[in-house]
Amino acid sequence: MAGIGFELRKMLAKRTFLGELGALFYAAMLSSGPWLASILCLSLLSVYASMQLSLKDAEIFRTLCVYTYGASLVLVGSGQLVVTRYLADQHYIGRHEVTMASFLTYSVVTLVPALVVGFCAYATLDVSAACSFWGVLLLLSVCMVWITMIYIGAIRDYQAVVFSFFGGCAVGVVAATMLGSYFGYTGYLAGFTLGQCIIFMSLVSRMLTEFEETGCWDWGTLGYFPKMWIMALVGIFYNAAIWIDKVIFWNAPDSRMIIGWLRVHDLYDSPMFFSYLTIVPSMAIFLLRVETSFHERIHSYYAHVTGKGSMSQILAQKKLLVDDLRVNLRYLFVVQSAITGCCIAFAPALVETLKLFPVQSTIMRVALAGTFIQALLAVTVVVLFYFDRRKSVLLTTFVYFVSMALFTWLSTRLGYQFYGYGYAASNLVSLAVAYQLLERALRDLEYVTFSREPV
């Protein structure tokens, strides 16, 4: 993400209101743009589908898309952190030429299991061959979009990235509504898939103009998986934790079958997906702060270590680093508290606007609180990664996955009055673990630095 920080710092250096606004906008797009654009696109298509299709067909289209996104994130997530670390290391030593070969290698490694998963899933569903084709293609294209986002971080032309997403989504909406009028939910699936394919091809074309293609296979990418097995496990646990609560609710006694094994939970799903939207501002602010002020502090700290500064100078830099981190976390807490507090206060009005059941007001309030904690958890995990505390992150994500599965299962057994509490409790427990590990990392920073690096 070094390129991101460079561009954000350049915008902030203008010291103008428009410069800061532009930096915040780009941070929002880069931290949340892909899934935000996808959610907006799906929301629009859901509205059109409800007008053009029968209720059941509209639900089939929407459910297929939601399951596809969940599967794609778990499939890509297992190697996302490893590949990101490999790419960062290669760019640090100036080996930019491996980018495209690494991209192709990781794409093949991901697409093969994705193809198997997609084929097996649609083979067990009672849908047409055309629907199966577009469904599998959608899974592959969404996986490729996530993979491309890993590599596109090294490019500084972020306008092209933003235009790719919104342009592809616009094409997807138009194509889906046109094809949907002739082919029903299969047409919607085809149109939405075309939009995702356009996003992928647009991003790849931008990568090809930036990086030279020097080969089709890079063994170095695969060689990092045994070295970085902890990061691979972190990716699996984290993405699985984010989706395991939905899977448990989809299989709860009061869930509803859409088609075959595709199920939804009417009370739980909508409040949860809406709550995720509320953390976009805090994620943007965090990215902006971390890639600017915090990055400079941590760079200055390690510059004094490697430059053999005196112990008093190193400790002074550590104090500046820790103070800057606490200020950023406090700022993030205040901003997200205000957003979440407003949404909790107006939850009944939001539920009415979204045409949900009145009983979902309580679920939404709990979900909003849980999402707020999840945002803090995500931030803490990222900071732990900055200090290379991989085992701490692994412990945190393992606790996150296990507690999410356990608490969610308990909430489904206790009744609808407890829906959402399992999700919130899991985030709270995981945040407590992560925060304690972060405090320990900050306290022992100079000891860990010198014990790991011979200086």
Side-chain angles (χ1 to χ4, degrees):
M1 301 290 275
I4 294 173
F6 179 82
E7 285 298 307
L8 294 177
R9 287 192 289 275
K10 192 167 69 174
M11 289 181 179
L12 292 176
K14 297 176 182 176
R15 298 186 180 281
T16 62
F17 175 73
L18 287 179
E20 293 185 5
L21 198 61
L24 189 60
F25 174 75
Y26 274 111
M29 289 299 101
L30 292 167
S31 62
S32 313
W35 63 269
L36 184 62
S38 302
I39 288 176
L40 291 175
C41 183
L42 268 179
S43 301
L44 275 175
L45 287 177
S46 296
V47 173
Y48 286 122
S50 63
M51 294 187 291
Q52 281 187 311
L53 307 177
S54 66
L55 177 62
K56 185 170 183 60
D57 284 356
E59 286 186 326
I60 291 175
F61 162 70
R62 186 169 56 247
T63 307
L64 285 174
C65 291
V66 171
Y67 274 63
T68 297
Y69 271 90
S72 68
L73 285 170
V74 174
L75 284 166
V76 176
S78 59
Q80 183 177 9
L81 294 172
V82 178
V83 174
T84 302
R85 177 59 184 267
Y86 172 74
L87 195 64
D89 289 349
Q90 299 308 306
H91 282 216
Y92 180 75
I93 61 176
R95 295 189 67 217
H96 303 283
E97 70 276 6
V98 303
T99 303
M100 291 308 298
S102 173
F103 170 73
L104 292 173
T105 303
Y106 185 49
S107 298
V108 171
V109 170
T110 306
L111 289 186
V112 170
L115 187 63
V116 173
V117 169
F119 178 80
C120 293
Y122 279 93
T124 57
L125 288 176
D126 184 21
V127 295
S128 65
C131 178
S132 299
F133 170 78
W134 288 110
V136 173
L137 184 58
L138 176 62
L139 176 61
L140 300 181
S141 59
V142 173
C143 283
M144 289 309 302
V145 170
W146 296 132
I147 291 173
T148 311
M149 284 303 295
I150 299 173
Y151 292 84
I152 210 78
I155 297 177
R156 294 172 182 173
D157 184 10
Y158 300 115
Q159 287 185 345
V161 178
V162 174
F163 288 145
S164 296
F165 271 97
F166 285 97
C169 287
V171 171
V173 170
V174 173
T177 51
M178 292 179 64
L179 293 173
S181 61
Y182 295 101
F183 304 106
Y185 71 82
T186 301
Y188 266 86
L189 198 62
F192 185 65
T193 303
L194 289 175
Q196 296 301 306
C197 290
I198 287 176
I199 293 173
F200 162 62
M201 289 186 290
S202 177
L203 293 175
V204 170
S205 65
R206 187 63 190 85
M207 283 176 59
L208 288 172
T209 61
E210 187 87 9
F211 302 110
E212 183 182 357
E213 188 179 357
T214 57
C216 298
W217 193 260
D218 178 43
W219 287 107
T221 302
L222 301 182
Y224 253 53
F225 278 82
K227 294 178 185 175
M228 301 289 172
W229 61 272
I230 291 179
M231 299 182 80
L233 285 178
V234 166
I236 293 172
F237 283 136
Y238 187 74
N239 285 286
I242 289 176
W243 283 94
I244 190 66
D245 62 318
K246 285 84 175 169
V247 173
I248 290 173
F249 266 95
W250 290 337
N251 290 280
D254 54 349
S255 64
R256 183 166 57 89
M257 184 187 76
I258 299 299
I259 179 173
W261 47 266
L262 289 183
R263 307 182 70 85
V264 297
H265 197 283
D266 294 323
L267 291 180
Y268 188 75
D269 291 347
S270 296
M272 292 304 304
F273 290 125
F274 172 80
S275 299
Y276 285 136
L277 294 177
T278 62
I279 63 172
V280 173
S282 62
M283 290 295 99
I285 291 172
F286 173 70
L287 179 63
L288 185 64
R289 292 270 181 162
V290 163
E291 290 293 341
T292 53
S293 64
F294 183 68
H295 174 83
E296 291 175 359
R297 293 295 182 197
I298 202 165
H299 178 76
S300 177
Y301 170 78
Y302 284 107
H304 278 77
V305 172
T306 56
K308 299 188 184 303
S310 65
M311 196 61 196
S312 60
Q313 290 174 324
I314 292 172
L315 291 177
Q317 290 299 318
K318 174 192 171 184
K319 185 177 184 308
L320 290 173
L321 172 66
V322 173
D323 290 345
D324 185 78
L325 178 61
R326 295 195 191 284
V327 167
N328 286 333
L329 290 178
R330 196 179 305 125
Y331 186 72
L332 176 70
F333 185 87
V334 171
V335 172
Q336 189 58 46
S337 296
I339 295 171
T340 302
C342 287
C343 291
I344 288 176
F346 293 101
L350 290 171
V351 165
E352 187 178 352
T353 304
L354 295 171
K355 297 181 179 178
L356 304 178
F357 300 111
V359 71
Q360 288 176 288
S361 294
T362 304
I363 300 174
M364 180 173 284
R365 281 173 168 150
V366 178
L368 286 165
T371 311
F372 173 33
I373 303 170
Q374 185 182 353
L376 298 177
L377 173 63
V379 166
T380 310
V381 166
V382 171
V383 175
L384 282 170
F385 266 131
Y386 257 91
F387 295 114
D388 201 22
R389 290 301 187 106
R390 277 172 268 173
K391 290 183 180 178
S392 297
V393 178
L394 177 61
L395 175 61
T396 301
T397 52
F398 177 73
V399 170
Y400 192 30
F401 173 71
V402 172
S403 61
M404 185 67 80
L406 177 62
F407 293 157
T408 302
W409 179 81
L410 282 174
S411 66
T412 60
R413 294 300 182 271
L414 292 173
Y416 72 91
Q417 300 93 335
F418 293 90
Y419 288 174
Y421 282 99
Y423 165 76
S426 171
N427 280 296
L428 187 60
V429 169
S430 305
L431 176 62
V433 172
Y435 189 75
Q436 287 301 316
L437 294 171
L438 177 60
E439 283 291 328
R440 186 184 301 176
L442 294 175
R443 186 191 62 201
D444 302 335
L445 180 59
E446 67 275 15
Y447 169 75
V448 174
T449 302
F450 285 105
S451 63
R452 288 182 178 178
E453 300 294 336
V455 291

